[in-house]
Short mmCIF file of all heavy atoms in Angstrom, two decimals:
data_model
loop_
_atom_site.label_atom_id
_atom_site.label_comp_id
_atom_site.label_asym_id
_atom_site.label_seq_id
_atom_site.Cartn_x
_atom_site.Cartn_y
_atom_site.Cartn_z
N MET Y 255 29.48 5.07 0.35
CA MET Y 255 28.84 4.07 1.18
C MET Y 255 28.99 4.44 2.65
O MET Y 255 30.06 4.84 3.08
CB MET Y 255 29.48 2.72 0.87
CG MET Y 255 28.83 1.57 1.52
SD MET Y 255 27.39 1.13 0.56
CE MET Y 255 26.78 -0.20 1.50
N LYS Y 256 27.94 4.32 3.40
CA LYS Y 256 27.99 4.64 4.82
C LYS Y 256 28.59 3.47 5.60
O LYS Y 256 28.45 2.31 5.22
CB LYS Y 256 26.59 4.91 5.35
CG LYS Y 256 25.98 6.16 4.82
CD LYS Y 256 24.65 6.42 5.47
CE LYS Y 256 24.08 7.74 5.02
NZ LYS Y 256 22.84 8.05 5.70
N SER Y 257 29.21 3.81 6.70
CA SER Y 257 29.76 2.76 7.55
C SER Y 257 28.65 2.14 8.39
O SER Y 257 27.55 2.70 8.52
CB SER Y 257 30.85 3.33 8.45
OG SER Y 257 30.27 4.17 9.42
N ILE Y 258 28.91 1.02 8.95
CA ILE Y 258 27.94 0.32 9.78
C ILE Y 258 27.53 1.18 10.97
O ILE Y 258 26.36 1.24 11.34
CB ILE Y 258 28.50 -1.04 10.26
CG1 ILE Y 258 28.83 -1.94 9.08
CG2 ILE Y 258 27.54 -1.72 11.22
CD1 ILE Y 258 27.63 -2.35 8.25
N GLU Y 259 28.46 1.88 11.56
CA GLU Y 259 28.16 2.72 12.72
C GLU Y 259 27.24 3.88 12.34
O GLU Y 259 26.33 4.23 13.07
CB GLU Y 259 29.44 3.25 13.36
CG GLU Y 259 30.26 2.18 14.05
CD GLU Y 259 29.48 1.44 15.13
OE1 GLU Y 259 28.74 2.08 15.91
OE2 GLU Y 259 29.59 0.21 15.19
N ASP Y 260 27.45 4.46 11.14
CA ASP Y 260 26.57 5.53 10.68
C ASP Y 260 25.15 5.02 10.49
O ASP Y 260 24.18 5.69 10.81
CB ASP Y 260 27.08 6.12 9.37
CG ASP Y 260 28.36 6.91 9.55
OD1 ASP Y 260 28.63 7.34 10.70
OD2 ASP Y 260 29.09 7.09 8.56
N ILE Y 261 25.03 3.82 9.95
CA ILE Y 261 23.71 3.23 9.71
C ILE Y 261 23.02 2.92 11.03
O ILE Y 261 21.83 3.18 11.20
CB ILE Y 261 23.83 1.97 8.83
CG1 ILE Y 261 24.28 2.37 7.42
CG2 ILE Y 261 22.51 1.22 8.77
CD1 ILE Y 261 24.60 1.21 6.52
N LYS Y 262 23.75 2.39 11.98
CA LYS Y 262 23.17 2.05 13.29
C LYS Y 262 22.68 3.30 14.02
O LYS Y 262 21.65 3.27 14.69
CB LYS Y 262 24.20 1.33 14.16
CG LYS Y 262 24.45 -0.09 13.76
CD LYS Y 262 25.44 -0.73 14.70
CE LYS Y 262 25.73 -2.16 14.31
NZ LYS Y 262 26.73 -2.78 15.19
N ASN Y 263 23.38 4.41 13.90
CA ASN Y 263 23.02 5.64 14.59
C ASN Y 263 21.99 6.46 13.83
O ASN Y 263 21.48 7.45 14.35
CB ASN Y 263 24.26 6.48 14.85
CG ASN Y 263 25.21 5.80 15.82
OD1 ASN Y 263 24.79 5.03 16.67
ND2 ASN Y 263 26.49 6.06 15.68
N SER Y 264 21.67 6.09 12.63
CA SER Y 264 20.74 6.84 11.79
C SER Y 264 19.31 6.65 12.29
O SER Y 264 18.93 5.61 12.81
CB SER Y 264 20.86 6.35 10.35
OG SER Y 264 19.89 6.97 9.55
N LYS Y 265 18.49 7.68 12.09
CA LYS Y 265 17.08 7.61 12.47
C LYS Y 265 16.22 7.11 11.31
O LYS Y 265 15.04 6.88 11.48
CB LYS Y 265 16.58 9.01 12.88
CG LYS Y 265 17.30 9.58 14.06
CD LYS Y 265 16.91 8.90 15.33
CE LYS Y 265 17.61 9.57 16.50
NZ LYS Y 265 17.40 8.88 17.73
N VAL Y 266 16.80 6.98 10.13
CA VAL Y 266 16.07 6.55 8.95
C VAL Y 266 16.02 5.02 8.92
O VAL Y 266 17.06 4.37 9.00
CB VAL Y 266 16.76 7.09 7.68
CG1 VAL Y 266 16.03 6.63 6.44
CG2 VAL Y 266 16.85 8.60 7.72
N PRO Y 267 14.83 4.44 8.79
CA PRO Y 267 14.75 2.98 8.74
C PRO Y 267 15.32 2.46 7.42
O PRO Y 267 15.25 3.10 6.39
CB PRO Y 267 13.25 2.70 8.83
CG PRO Y 267 12.60 3.95 8.37
CD PRO Y 267 13.52 5.07 8.72
N ILE Y 268 15.89 1.28 7.48
CA ILE Y 268 16.44 0.64 6.29
C ILE Y 268 15.43 -0.40 5.83
O ILE Y 268 15.03 -1.28 6.60
CB ILE Y 268 17.79 -0.03 6.61
CG1 ILE Y 268 18.78 1.02 7.06
CG2 ILE Y 268 18.30 -0.79 5.40
CD1 ILE Y 268 20.07 0.47 7.57
N VAL Y 269 15.00 -0.27 4.58
CA VAL Y 269 14.02 -1.19 4.02
C VAL Y 269 14.62 -1.86 2.80
O VAL Y 269 15.11 -1.18 1.90
CB VAL Y 269 12.72 -0.44 3.62
CG1 VAL Y 269 11.72 -1.39 3.00
CG2 VAL Y 269 12.13 0.27 4.81
N ILE Y 270 14.58 -3.16 2.78
CA ILE Y 270 15.06 -3.92 1.62
C ILE Y 270 13.86 -4.66 1.05
O ILE Y 270 13.21 -5.44 1.74
CB ILE Y 270 16.17 -4.90 2.03
CG1 ILE Y 270 17.34 -4.13 2.62
CG2 ILE Y 270 16.60 -5.74 0.84
CD1 ILE Y 270 18.41 -5.00 3.21
N ILE Y 271 13.56 -4.39 -0.22
CA ILE Y 271 12.42 -5.02 -0.87
C ILE Y 271 12.93 -6.20 -1.70
O ILE Y 271 13.82 -6.06 -2.53
CB ILE Y 271 11.67 -4.01 -1.76
CG1 ILE Y 271 11.15 -2.88 -0.88
CG2 ILE Y 271 10.55 -4.69 -2.52
CD1 ILE Y 271 10.53 -1.74 -1.63
N ASP Y 272 12.33 -7.34 -1.47
CA ASP Y 272 12.72 -8.56 -2.16
C ASP Y 272 12.22 -8.51 -3.61
O ASP Y 272 11.02 -8.38 -3.85
CB ASP Y 272 12.12 -9.77 -1.43
CG ASP Y 272 12.64 -11.09 -1.95
OD1 ASP Y 272 13.48 -11.09 -2.87
OD2 ASP Y 272 12.20 -12.12 -1.43
N LYS Y 273 13.12 -8.62 -4.57
CA LYS Y 273 12.78 -8.53 -5.99
C LYS Y 273 11.94 -9.71 -6.45
O LYS Y 273 11.27 -9.64 -7.47
CB LYS Y 273 14.04 -8.44 -6.84
CG LYS Y 273 14.86 -7.21 -6.57
CD LYS Y 273 14.16 -5.98 -7.06
CE LYS Y 273 15.02 -4.76 -6.80
NZ LYS Y 273 14.37 -3.53 -7.07
N SER Y 274 11.93 -10.80 -5.72
CA SER Y 274 11.13 -11.96 -6.13
C SER Y 274 9.63 -11.68 -6.01
O SER Y 274 8.82 -12.40 -6.58
CB SER Y 274 11.50 -13.20 -5.31
OG SER Y 274 11.12 -13.03 -3.96
N LEU Y 275 9.25 -10.63 -5.29
CA LEU Y 275 7.84 -10.26 -5.16
C LEU Y 275 7.29 -9.62 -6.43
O LEU Y 275 6.09 -9.51 -6.59
CB LEU Y 275 7.65 -9.32 -3.98
CG LEU Y 275 7.94 -9.92 -2.61
CD1 LEU Y 275 7.85 -8.85 -1.54
CD2 LEU Y 275 7.01 -11.06 -2.30
N ASP Y 276 8.18 -9.21 -7.34
CA ASP Y 276 7.73 -8.59 -8.59
C ASP Y 276 6.89 -9.54 -9.44
O ASP Y 276 6.08 -9.09 -10.23
CB ASP Y 276 8.93 -8.10 -9.41
CG ASP Y 276 9.57 -6.87 -8.80
OD1 ASP Y 276 8.90 -6.20 -7.98
OD2 ASP Y 276 10.72 -6.59 -9.15
N LYS Y 277 7.05 -10.83 -9.27
CA LYS Y 277 6.27 -11.79 -10.06
C LYS Y 277 4.79 -11.75 -9.67
O LYS Y 277 3.94 -12.22 -10.42
CB LYS Y 277 6.82 -13.20 -9.90
CG LYS Y 277 6.67 -13.76 -8.50
CD LYS Y 277 7.30 -15.12 -8.38
CE LYS Y 277 7.20 -15.60 -6.94
NZ LYS Y 277 7.92 -16.83 -6.72
N LEU Y 278 4.46 -11.15 -8.54
CA LEU Y 278 3.07 -11.07 -8.08
C LEU Y 278 2.37 -9.78 -8.52
O LEU Y 278 1.21 -9.55 -8.16
CB LEU Y 278 3.02 -11.18 -6.56
CG LEU Y 278 3.56 -12.48 -5.97
CD1 LEU Y 278 3.58 -12.39 -4.45
CD2 LEU Y 278 2.75 -13.66 -6.43
N ASN Y 279 3.03 -8.94 -9.30
CA ASN Y 279 2.44 -7.66 -9.70
C ASN Y 279 1.13 -7.82 -10.46
O ASN Y 279 0.21 -7.04 -10.27
CB ASN Y 279 3.42 -6.87 -10.56
CG ASN Y 279 4.50 -6.21 -9.74
OD1 ASN Y 279 4.41 -6.14 -8.53
ND2 ASN Y 279 5.54 -5.75 -10.41
N ASP Y 280 1.03 -8.81 -11.33
CA ASP Y 280 -0.16 -8.98 -12.17
C ASP Y 280 -1.08 -10.10 -11.69
O ASP Y 280 -1.97 -10.51 -12.41
CB ASP Y 280 0.27 -9.25 -13.62
CG ASP Y 280 1.04 -8.07 -14.19
OD1 ASP Y 280 0.70 -6.93 -13.85
OD2 ASP Y 280 1.97 -8.30 -14.99
N VAL Y 281 -0.86 -10.58 -10.48
CA VAL Y 281 -1.65 -11.68 -9.94
C VAL Y 281 -2.67 -11.14 -8.94
O VAL Y 281 -2.31 -10.36 -8.05
CB VAL Y 281 -0.73 -12.72 -9.24
CG1 VAL Y 281 -1.53 -13.84 -8.62
CG2 VAL Y 281 0.29 -13.27 -10.22
N VAL Y 282 -3.93 -11.54 -9.09
CA VAL Y 282 -4.96 -11.16 -8.13
C VAL Y 282 -4.91 -12.19 -7.00
O VAL Y 282 -5.20 -13.37 -7.20
CB VAL Y 282 -6.35 -11.13 -8.78
CG1 VAL Y 282 -7.41 -10.79 -7.75
CG2 VAL Y 282 -6.38 -10.14 -9.92
N LEU Y 283 -4.53 -11.74 -5.81
CA LEU Y 283 -4.34 -12.67 -4.70
C LEU Y 283 -5.65 -13.05 -4.01
O LEU Y 283 -5.77 -14.14 -3.48
CB LEU Y 283 -3.37 -12.07 -3.69
CG LEU Y 283 -1.96 -11.81 -4.22
CD1 LEU Y 283 -1.12 -11.14 -3.14
CD2 LEU Y 283 -1.30 -13.09 -4.67
N PHE Y 284 -6.62 -12.15 -4.01
CA PHE Y 284 -7.89 -12.41 -3.35
C PHE Y 284 -9.04 -12.10 -4.31
O PHE Y 284 -9.71 -11.07 -4.17
CB PHE Y 284 -8.01 -11.56 -2.08
CG PHE Y 284 -6.88 -11.77 -1.11
CD1 PHE Y 284 -5.84 -10.86 -1.04
CD2 PHE Y 284 -6.85 -12.87 -0.29
CE1 PHE Y 284 -4.79 -11.05 -0.16
CE2 PHE Y 284 -5.81 -13.07 0.59
CZ PHE Y 284 -4.77 -12.16 0.65
N PRO Y 285 -9.33 -12.98 -5.26
CA PRO Y 285 -10.34 -12.68 -6.26
C PRO Y 285 -11.74 -12.49 -5.67
O PRO Y 285 -12.52 -11.68 -6.18
CB PRO Y 285 -10.30 -13.86 -7.21
CG PRO Y 285 -9.55 -14.94 -6.51
CD PRO Y 285 -8.69 -14.27 -5.49
N GLU Y 286 -12.06 -13.20 -4.59
CA GLU Y 286 -13.38 -13.05 -3.98
C GLU Y 286 -13.55 -11.64 -3.41
O GLU Y 286 -14.61 -11.02 -3.54
CB GLU Y 286 -13.60 -14.07 -2.85
CG GLU Y 286 -13.43 -15.51 -3.26
CD GLU Y 286 -11.99 -16.00 -3.15
OE1 GLU Y 286 -11.18 -15.36 -2.46
OE2 GLU Y 286 -11.68 -17.01 -3.79
N LYS Y 287 -12.51 -11.14 -2.78
CA LYS Y 287 -12.56 -9.79 -2.19
C LYS Y 287 -12.68 -8.73 -3.28
O LYS Y 287 -13.41 -7.76 -3.12
CB LYS Y 287 -11.31 -9.53 -1.35
CG LYS Y 287 -11.11 -10.48 -0.21
CD LYS Y 287 -11.90 -10.06 0.96
CE LYS Y 287 -11.57 -10.98 2.13
NZ LYS Y 287 -12.32 -10.67 3.31
N VAL Y 288 -11.95 -8.93 -4.38
CA VAL Y 288 -12.01 -7.97 -5.48
C VAL Y 288 -13.40 -7.95 -6.09
O VAL Y 288 -13.96 -6.88 -6.39
CB VAL Y 288 -10.93 -8.29 -6.55
CG1 VAL Y 288 -11.10 -7.43 -7.78
CG2 VAL Y 288 -9.54 -8.14 -5.97
N GLU Y 289 -13.99 -9.12 -6.25
CA GLU Y 289 -15.34 -9.21 -6.81
C GLU Y 289 -16.36 -8.53 -5.90
O GLU Y 289 -17.22 -7.76 -6.36
CB GLU Y 289 -15.71 -10.68 -7.02
CG GLU Y 289 -17.06 -10.88 -7.67
CD GLU Y 289 -17.37 -12.36 -7.89
OE1 GLU Y 289 -16.43 -13.16 -8.00
OE2 GLU Y 289 -18.57 -12.68 -7.93
N LYS Y 290 -16.26 -8.77 -4.61
CA LYS Y 290 -17.18 -8.17 -3.65
C LYS Y 290 -17.03 -6.65 -3.62
O LYS Y 290 -18.02 -5.91 -3.59
CB LYS Y 290 -16.93 -8.74 -2.25
CG LYS Y 290 -17.92 -8.27 -1.22
CD LYS Y 290 -17.68 -8.95 0.11
CE LYS Y 290 -18.65 -8.43 1.15
NZ LYS Y 290 -18.43 -9.04 2.45
N ALA Y 291 -15.79 -6.17 -3.67
CA ALA Y 291 -15.55 -4.73 -3.69
C ALA Y 291 -16.10 -4.10 -4.96
O ALA Y 291 -16.69 -3.02 -4.92
CB ALA Y 291 -14.05 -4.45 -3.56
N SER Y 292 -15.94 -4.77 -6.08
CA SER Y 292 -16.45 -4.25 -7.35
C SER Y 292 -17.98 -4.15 -7.32
O SER Y 292 -18.55 -3.17 -7.80
CB SER Y 292 -16.01 -5.14 -8.50
OG SER Y 292 -14.62 -5.13 -8.63
N GLU Y 293 -18.64 -5.16 -6.74
CA GLU Y 293 -20.09 -5.13 -6.61
C GLU Y 293 -20.54 -3.98 -5.71
O GLU Y 293 -21.51 -3.28 -6.01
CB GLU Y 293 -20.60 -6.45 -6.06
CG GLU Y 293 -20.47 -7.61 -7.02
CD GLU Y 293 -20.82 -8.94 -6.38
OE1 GLU Y 293 -21.22 -8.97 -5.19
OE2 GLU Y 293 -20.69 -9.97 -7.07
N THR Y 294 -19.84 -3.79 -4.60
CA THR Y 294 -20.19 -2.72 -3.67
C THR Y 294 -20.02 -1.35 -4.33
O THR Y 294 -20.89 -0.48 -4.18
CB THR Y 294 -19.31 -2.80 -2.41
OG1 THR Y 294 -19.48 -4.09 -1.82
CG2 THR Y 294 -19.68 -1.73 -1.40
N ILE Y 295 -18.94 -1.17 -5.07
CA ILE Y 295 -18.72 0.11 -5.75
C ILE Y 295 -19.78 0.33 -6.82
O ILE Y 295 -20.25 1.45 -7.02
CB ILE Y 295 -17.30 0.16 -6.34
CG1 ILE Y 295 -16.29 0.26 -5.21
CG2 ILE Y 295 -17.14 1.33 -7.30
CD1 ILE Y 295 -14.85 0.14 -5.64
N ALA Y 296 -20.20 -0.75 -7.50
CA ALA Y 296 -21.23 -0.61 -8.53
C ALA Y 296 -22.56 -0.20 -7.92
O ALA Y 296 -23.29 0.61 -8.49
CB ALA Y 296 -21.37 -1.92 -9.30
N LYS Y 297 -22.89 -0.73 -6.73
CA LYS Y 297 -24.16 -0.39 -6.05
C LYS Y 297 -24.12 1.00 -5.45
O LYS Y 297 -25.02 1.81 -5.66
CB LYS Y 297 -24.44 -1.39 -4.93
CG LYS Y 297 -24.89 -2.74 -5.38
CD LYS Y 297 -25.17 -3.59 -4.16
CE LYS Y 297 -25.31 -5.05 -4.51
NZ LYS Y 297 -25.47 -5.87 -3.31
N ILE Y 298 -23.10 1.26 -4.66
CA ILE Y 298 -23.04 2.48 -3.85
C ILE Y 298 -22.31 3.60 -4.58
O ILE Y 298 -22.68 4.76 -4.47
CB ILE Y 298 -22.34 2.19 -2.51
CG1 ILE Y 298 -23.13 1.14 -1.73
CG2 ILE Y 298 -22.18 3.45 -1.69
CD1 ILE Y 298 -22.44 0.64 -0.50
N GLY Y 299 -21.28 3.27 -5.30
CA GLY Y 299 -20.44 4.27 -5.96
C GLY Y 299 -19.29 4.67 -5.08
O GLY Y 299 -19.20 4.29 -3.92
N LEU Y 300 -18.40 5.45 -5.65
CA LEU Y 300 -17.24 5.91 -4.90
C LEU Y 300 -17.63 7.07 -4.00
O LEU Y 300 -18.55 7.83 -4.32
CB LEU Y 300 -16.13 6.35 -5.86
CG LEU Y 300 -15.52 5.22 -6.69
CD1 LEU Y 300 -14.56 5.81 -7.72
CD2 LEU Y 300 -14.79 4.23 -5.81
N PRO Y 301 -16.95 7.25 -2.87
CA PRO Y 301 -17.28 8.37 -1.99
C PRO Y 301 -16.98 9.70 -2.67
O PRO Y 301 -16.06 9.81 -3.48
CB PRO Y 301 -16.38 8.15 -0.78
CG PRO Y 301 -15.41 7.12 -1.14
CD PRO Y 301 -15.89 6.42 -2.35
N LYS Y 302 -17.77 10.70 -2.33
CA LYS Y 302 -17.56 12.04 -2.88
C LYS Y 302 -16.33 12.65 -2.21
O LYS Y 302 -16.12 12.50 -1.01
CB LYS Y 302 -18.77 12.92 -2.58
CG LYS Y 302 -20.10 12.33 -3.03
CD LYS Y 302 -20.51 12.90 -4.35
CE LYS Y 302 -21.89 12.49 -4.78
NZ LYS Y 302 -22.11 11.11 -4.98
N LYS Y 303 -15.54 13.33 -2.98
CA LYS Y 303 -14.34 13.95 -2.45
C LYS Y 303 -14.71 15.29 -1.82
O LYS Y 303 -15.37 16.11 -2.43
CB LYS Y 303 -13.32 14.16 -3.55
CG LYS Y 303 -11.99 14.64 -3.05
CD LYS Y 303 -10.96 14.68 -4.13
CE LYS Y 303 -9.64 15.13 -3.58
NZ LYS Y 303 -8.60 15.18 -4.60
N GLN Y 304 -14.29 15.48 -0.56
CA GLN Y 304 -14.56 16.72 0.14
C GLN Y 304 -13.26 17.50 0.28
O GLN Y 304 -12.19 16.91 0.43
CB GLN Y 304 -15.12 16.45 1.53
CG GLN Y 304 -16.49 15.82 1.51
CD GLN Y 304 -17.03 15.63 2.92
OE1 GLN Y 304 -16.35 15.89 3.89
NE2 GLN Y 304 -18.26 15.16 3.00
N PRO Y 305 -13.34 18.83 0.24
CA PRO Y 305 -12.13 19.62 0.44
C PRO Y 305 -11.58 19.41 1.84
O PRO Y 305 -12.31 19.12 2.78
CB PRO Y 305 -12.60 21.06 0.25
CG PRO Y 305 -14.06 21.04 0.05
CD PRO Y 305 -14.53 19.62 0.00
N HIS Y 306 -10.27 19.57 1.97
CA HIS Y 306 -9.63 19.41 3.27
C HIS Y 306 -10.10 20.47 4.25
O HIS Y 306 -10.37 21.60 3.88
CB HIS Y 306 -8.11 19.51 3.13
CG HIS Y 306 -7.51 18.35 2.40
ND1 HIS Y 306 -7.37 17.11 2.96
CD2 HIS Y 306 -7.05 18.22 1.13
CE1 HIS Y 306 -6.84 16.29 2.09
NE2 HIS Y 306 -6.62 16.94 0.96
N GLY Y 307 -10.21 20.08 5.50
CA GLY Y 307 -10.59 21.02 6.54
C GLY Y 307 -12.08 21.16 6.73
O GLY Y 307 -12.52 21.82 7.66
N ARG Y 308 -12.84 20.54 5.90
CA ARG Y 308 -14.31 20.62 6.02
C ARG Y 308 -14.83 19.38 6.71
O ARG Y 308 -14.56 18.27 6.29
CB ARG Y 308 -14.95 20.76 4.65
CG ARG Y 308 -16.43 20.92 4.73
CD ARG Y 308 -17.00 21.14 3.36
NE ARG Y 308 -18.45 21.28 3.47
CZ ARG Y 308 -19.26 21.19 2.48
NH1 ARG Y 308 -18.81 20.95 1.27
NH2 ARG Y 308 -20.56 21.31 2.65
N LYS Y 309 -15.57 19.57 7.77
CA LYS Y 309 -16.14 18.43 8.50
C LYS Y 309 -17.61 18.31 8.17
O LYS Y 309 -18.31 19.29 8.00
CB LYS Y 309 -15.96 18.61 10.00
CG LYS Y 309 -14.53 18.59 10.42
CD LYS Y 309 -14.40 18.70 11.91
CE LYS Y 309 -12.92 18.69 12.31
NZ LYS Y 309 -12.74 18.76 13.72
N SER Y 310 -18.08 17.06 8.06
CA SER Y 310 -19.50 16.86 7.75
C SER Y 310 -20.26 16.36 8.93
O SER Y 310 -19.78 15.99 9.93
CB SER Y 310 -19.65 15.89 6.61
OG SER Y 310 -18.83 14.77 6.71
#
């Protein structure tokens, strides 16, 4: 375990994820947005993948 001083002097950010958010894994939070996005993808399709470094 690192000491408090080591953590304070560290350049790495400390992130704590709240486990209570796991209950939202299977919940659609914005159904209208998902429906609109699905319609747009059905009309237009997904973007074509281009190789890296190539500009269009």
Side-chain angles (χ1 to χ4, degrees):
M255 187 80 181
K256 292 185 176 184
S257 70
I258 300 295
E259 290 303 317
D260 290 339
I261 293 173
K262 285 182 181 178
N263 294 332
S264 174
K265 299 287 183 186
V266 178
I268 299 172
V269 178
I270 300 173
I271 298 173
D272 188 1
K273 297 291 181 187
S274 67
L275 295 174
D276 287 341
K277 66 183 176 187
L278 299 174
N279 283 347
D280 297 325
V281 177
V282 178
L283 297 177
F284 303 101
E286 303 88 18
K287 299 277 186 182
V288 172
E289 183 179 335
K290 185 176 178 182
S292 297
E293 290 173 3
T294 303
I295 290 173
K297 286 182 194 175
I298 299 172
L300 293 173
K302 307 262 186 298
K303 187 173 181 180
Q304 293 183 355
H306 291 286
R308 183 176 179 195
K309 295 183 180 181
S310 45

